Amino acid sequence: MKGLLTAVYALTLIVGFTGCAAFRQSVSDKDPSNSPPMDAKYDASDLLGWADEIVRSILEHPFPKPDAPAPIMAELGIQNRTNDHLDTQALADTIVTKLLNSGKMQFTNTSRRDQLLKEQGFQLANCTPETRAQIGKQLGAKYMLTGSLIEIDKRSGRQVRVSKQEDVYYQLTVEITDLETGLIALRKQHDRMRRVSKPLIGW
Amino acid sequence: MTTAVIAASLTPDIHPDRPGRFFRLPAMVVLAILTGCTSGTLNAGRETFYLGRFTNAAAVLQDLPDNSAEQVLPLMERGMAHQAAGNYMTSIRDWLAAKDQAEQLDYYSVSRGGASLLISDHMLHFTGAPYERTLLHAFMAKSFMALDLWDNAAVEGRNIALRVQDLDGFPDDAYSRYVAGFSFEMIRDWSNAELQYRNAARLLDTCTINESSGRIHAVSNPPPDYRGPELVCFVSLGRAPTEHGSWAQRLAWGSSPYIELYAGEQLLGRSHTLATTRDLMAETDKKLAVMRAARTVTRVILKETAAHAVEEKNPFLGEIVRLLLYSLETDTIRRWETLPLWLQVARVPCPAKLESFRVVFRGAGGQILTEQTIVKPLSHRDTIHVSFIRAL
């Protein structure tokens, strides 16, 4: 009887101590570039890591030539060719930010072009001549930056097992095209493959 | 029909001189309340949908079950109501949530599986039959098309292609493949579009698809080569067969209705049935029949064993246990019931500036069932106008 009571007390104490932590909300900051992946799909660490990798490889390339002025570029988006509704614009924005910060390239603001024209029109109609933005003074881009992201999914076949494996492969291609000649001035690729094993049986 | 009524019909006879029968009614009421609430809301939403009150149907289905695992079917139904009401982005949100939830449940739950062997198959989470999961992507792709989000429509096209890659004996679906092919065509991914058109054509008997143009025509009547403005109509007719039937709707449409498209008085062409949910469901049921029968036999044996064990010690209590166990038998087959019966596509040449067009619904014999004028096609890309028609 005494042994039983001891066991009950011990169990109560264990539940008391471990249960509190298990059922309490927990919040902590994480480094997005180093957070461990939850699954095989695209995540925040991919966004940052791929952008870093692509920017590094673009800047290593002899483009633009060392003595040439920073070329003016227009970013026209990265096409999502995966099986998920990914925000590839966020990837393009991150790449542009890093390239801008390198000081070796300049970008026209293509995503805000409509608002820019609207604001210029507003200034033309309402602002003093000395402060209004001049019409027709925008700089034309010499190159466009575009890209695509593809995904290949491979899942293990049907067989008697307790887990299924899934390989997810991504390939990011970013290219810079000369707007005058149409020639591709530079093209960089980055790829990654991740395998995930998911249980087929759960509680 | 509510689950309570089904439960009553499955309850076995109880000997009249045993007191267990007095507990039948209260037990049924309790079980009806416990099991019928969710499906009651679901059925109310469906009935409102089929009265043509799409926004109201979505409102009826607004409150989802607290348990996220039970949300897949309500989300599928609500997404359809939103799409029919023209709330495309909301339908996408519902369907993406349904897809995510269903993927989370893609495992065998020991607790649920065990409970299903003692209670009923209703204990298993609904994740959708393979054809329903494929059609989920097809309908989502259409919502993206309606919003001119072609890259996103192609994402769903790729999901369709993935799903039909490994069907494991479940039926393939020419309609979903066509939607996938069309979404690829719209982003100029010609090779994948051709692949899907070719595979869709293989599944068809009465009509075929030109893999390079995507044009659909009767096998015996290939159209002349045409490269110009086109109107592509995705046509959804009727109501998917349900467990409880809806003969009124089936009788209204006849055996194989179709639509004709007119620009002014000029006949542009007609729609072709690429799939029916009736066939997809029948093929699926055929595949699952053995599995379901085995589970039912196991369940009956387990229930009888449990009831007998109790009965040997206390006959009265044993009868109650038996009553309760059989009362828990509920409608086991849940389906996405707002899906249409006929899944059709019309792809026809049209004037370059297509401001409006007339849709004539015809029965199998060619008789006119009803007419409708569509003022403006929903969206277009280059020279292709896209429109959706949902007729109940």
Side-chain angles (χ1 to χ4, degrees):
Chain A
M1 188 64 187
K2 196 180 171 187
L4 182 69
L5 277 175
T6 311
V8 170
Y9 287 140
L11 200 65
T12 311
L13 281 174
I14 289 167
V15 169
F17 282 113
T18 59
C20 286
F23 293 108
R24 201 172 53 219
Q25 181 179 325
S26 152
V27 181
S28 59
D29 282 330
K30 296 270 180 196
D31 177 2
S33 56
N34 282 325
S35 60
M38 299 283 191
D39 60 20
K41 293 285 186 174
Y42 174 81
D43 57 20
S45 63
D46 291 325
L47 167 73
L48 299 173
W50 298 354
D52 267 343
E53 187 62 34
I54 286 289
V55 169
R56 190 184 54 74
S57 61
I58 287 176
L59 295 177
E60 274 174 3
H61 197 273
F63 172 87
K65 290 190 172 64
D67 49 344
I72 301 172
M73 323 264 292
E75 178 268 303
L76 297 175
I78 291 174
Q79 191 188 16
N80 176 15
R81 286 167 58 193
T82 69
N83 307 323
D84 292 295
H85 299 282
L86 307 179
D87 185 359
T88 48
Q89 187 56 49
L91 187 56
D93 289 348
T94 313
I95 291 171
V96 168
T97 305
K98 288 174 188 286
L99 286 173
L100 265 176
N101 290 345
S102 75
K104 293 187 174 174
M105 289 178 198
Q106 304 177 79
F107 282 86
T108 59
N109 197 336
T110 48
S111 63
R112 300 287 177 186
R113 194 170 276 162
D114 287 349
Q115 284 150 301
L116 200 152
L117 292 175
K118 203 172 162 187
E119 176 60 21
Q120 281 190 343
F122 171 81
Q123 290 194 12
L124 189 65
N126 300 292
C127 298
T128 58
E130 59 274 14
T131 59
R132 73 168 63 123
Q134 298 296 302
I135 305 293
K137 296 274 187 182
Q138 287 186 38
L139 298 180
K142 171 125 178 73
Y143 299 95
M144 66 175 184
L145 184 142
T146 53
S148 64
L149 177 65
I150 65 142
E151 174 186 352
I152 298 173
D153 270 17
K154 195 76 193 155
R155 289 166 196 180
S156 52
R158 290 170 195 279
Q159 53 196 294
V160 178
R161 57 192 150 69
V162 292
S163 68
K164 59 180 170 186
Q165 284 188 336
E166 184 182 7
D167 286 343
V168 181
Y169 171 79
Y170 287 106
Q171 186 181 67
L172 171 67
T173 305
V174 173
E175 61 192 17
I176 293 172
T177 309
D178 189 317
L179 281 165
E180 265 176 25
T181 62
L183 291 173
I184 296 172
L186 183 155
R187 173 180 276 179
K188 294 290 173 187
Q189 286 189 324
H190 178 70
D191 50 12
R192 82 112 160 103
M193 189 161 184
R194 193 178 286 164
R195 173 170 289 184
V196 65
S197 182
K198 294 179 185 172
L200 279 177
I201 299 172
W203 177 247
Chain B
M1 188 186 284
T2 65
T3 48
V5 178
I6 299 157
S9 67
L10 287 173
T11 309
D13 280 337
I14 292 173
H15 202 278
D17 58 5
R18 289 186 186 168
R21 66 193 165 116
F22 296 111
F23 291 86
R24 178 187 270 194
L25 187 63
M28 290 307 303
V29 172
V30 171
L31 285 165
I33 292 166
L34 287 175
T35 61
C37 288
T38 313
S39 57
T41 310
L42 209 50
N43 286 338
R46 288 162 175 160
E47 292 312 318
T48 313
F49 178 89
Y50 279 108
L51 290 171
R53 297 185 204 138
F54 305 127
T55 311
N56 286 0
V60 170
L61 296 166
Q62 193 54 42
D63 292 329
L64 297 170
D66 292 336
N67 181 0
S68 61
E70 301 294 335
Q71 291 176 354
V72 177
L73 189 52
L75 282 167
M76 284 171 148
E77 306 283 20
R78 197 173 73 185
M80 189 65 92
H82 280 306
Q83 190 186 56
N87 303 323
Y88 297 108
M89 194 42 90
T90 324
S91 73
I92 290 166
R93 273 199 285 271
D94 276 351
W95 283 333
L96 278 176
K99 177 207 143 206
D100 288 344
Q101 295 287 0
E103 279 176 2
Q104 294 285 323
L105 296 167
D106 269 343
Y107 65 90
Y108 180 78
S109 163
V110 176
S111 59
R112 290 266 160 184
S116 76
L117 287 179
L118 197 62
I119 298 170
S120 83
D121 278 359
H122 211 81
M123 294 304 294
L124 298 171
H125 288 306
F126 175 87
T127 57
Y131 78 88
E132 289 170 323
R133 300 272 291 265
T134 309
L135 283 171
L136 184 70
H137 293 295
F139 277 79
M140 227 189 311
K142 293 199 305 183
S143 278
F144 280 119
M145 288 176 197
L147 295 168
D148 273 329
L149 297 171
W150 303 102
D151 280 346
N152 291 288
V155 167
E156 293 310 320
R158 284 181 214 108
N159 278 308
I160 293 169
L162 262 182
R163 288 211 68 87
V164 295
Q165 240 174 36
D166 180 22
L167 285 164
D168 190 32
F170 285 101
D172 203 343
D173 163 13
Y175 179 80
S176 296
R177 281 191 181 269
Y178 191 90
V179 172
F182 185 70
S183 69
F184 295 145
E185 186 186 334
M186 291 293 97
I187 62 159
R188 300 174 182 84
D189 184 354
W190 309 112
S191 62
N192 278 317
E194 284 186 14
L195 177 69
Q196 292 307 324
Y197 288 151
R198 189 161 56 242
N199 284 323
R202 280 192 194 132
L203 300 166
L204 300 170
D205 299 325
T206 54
C207 61
T208 190
I209 300 165
N210 182 316
E211 66 180 56
S212 59
S213 68
R215 294 282 299 281
I216 309 164
H217 58 85
V219 175
S220 55
N221 186 24
D225 194 29
Y226 174 82
R227 297 278 165 186
E230 285 179 297
L231 170 62
V232 179
C233 262
F234 293 94
V235 187
S236 304
L237 298 177
R239 179 177 186 167
T242 64
E243 191 70 359
H244 324 304
S246 179
W247 289 102
Q249 255 126 354
R250 272 175 247 175
L251 285 173
W253 285 111
S255 58
S256 52
Y258 61 94
I259 62 155
E260 283 179 347
L261 299 167
Y262 291 85
E265 290 308 309
Q266 185 198 351
L267 173 65
L268 303 175
R270 58 161 286 175
S271 65
H272 296 274
T273 300
L274 300 190
T276 70
T277 46
R278 180 179 47 214
D279 293 344
L280 295 170
M281 187 189 298
E283 289 289 314
T284 304
D285 285 350
K286 211 188 297 177
K287 163 94 179 157
L288 292 175
V290 176
M291 208 188 300
R292 280 185 185 141
R295 259 208 313 265
T296 305
V297 169
T298 312
R299 193 160 53 239
V300 168
I301 292 169
L302 283 173
K303 284 182 182 191
E304 280 301 320
T305 310
H308 266 294
V310 179
E311 206 170 25
E312 277 181 9
K313 289 179 182 164
N314 184 338
F316 171 66
L317 202 59
E319 203 59 76
I320 290 177
V321 168
R322 179 178 285 112
L323 166 73
L324 280 171
L325 287 175
Y326 280 98
S327 298
L328 292 167
E329 286 287 347
T330 54
D331 182 10
T332 53
I333 301 174
R334 285 160 288 176
R335 300 188 198 281
W336 184 7
E337 293 190 15
T338 49
L339 276 174
L341 175 52
W342 290 280
L343 297 156
Q344 304 186 340
V345 179
R347 184 167 185 162
V348 295
C350 73
K353 286 190 177 173
L354 186 70
E355 294 299 329
S356 71
F357 59 95
R358 196 157 52 92
V359 184
V360 177
F361 297 82
R362 290 186 184 273
Q367 76 278 19
I368 295 178
L369 299 172
T370 182
E371 285 192 30
Q372 190 184 347
T373 298
I374 292 181
V375 177
K376 203 169 167 46
L378 262 176
S379 55
H380 66 90
R381 180 143 189 174
D382 301 333
T383 59
I384 296 181
H385 300 271
V386 183
S387 195
F388 307 138
I389 294 165
R390 177 73 205 247
L392 306 173

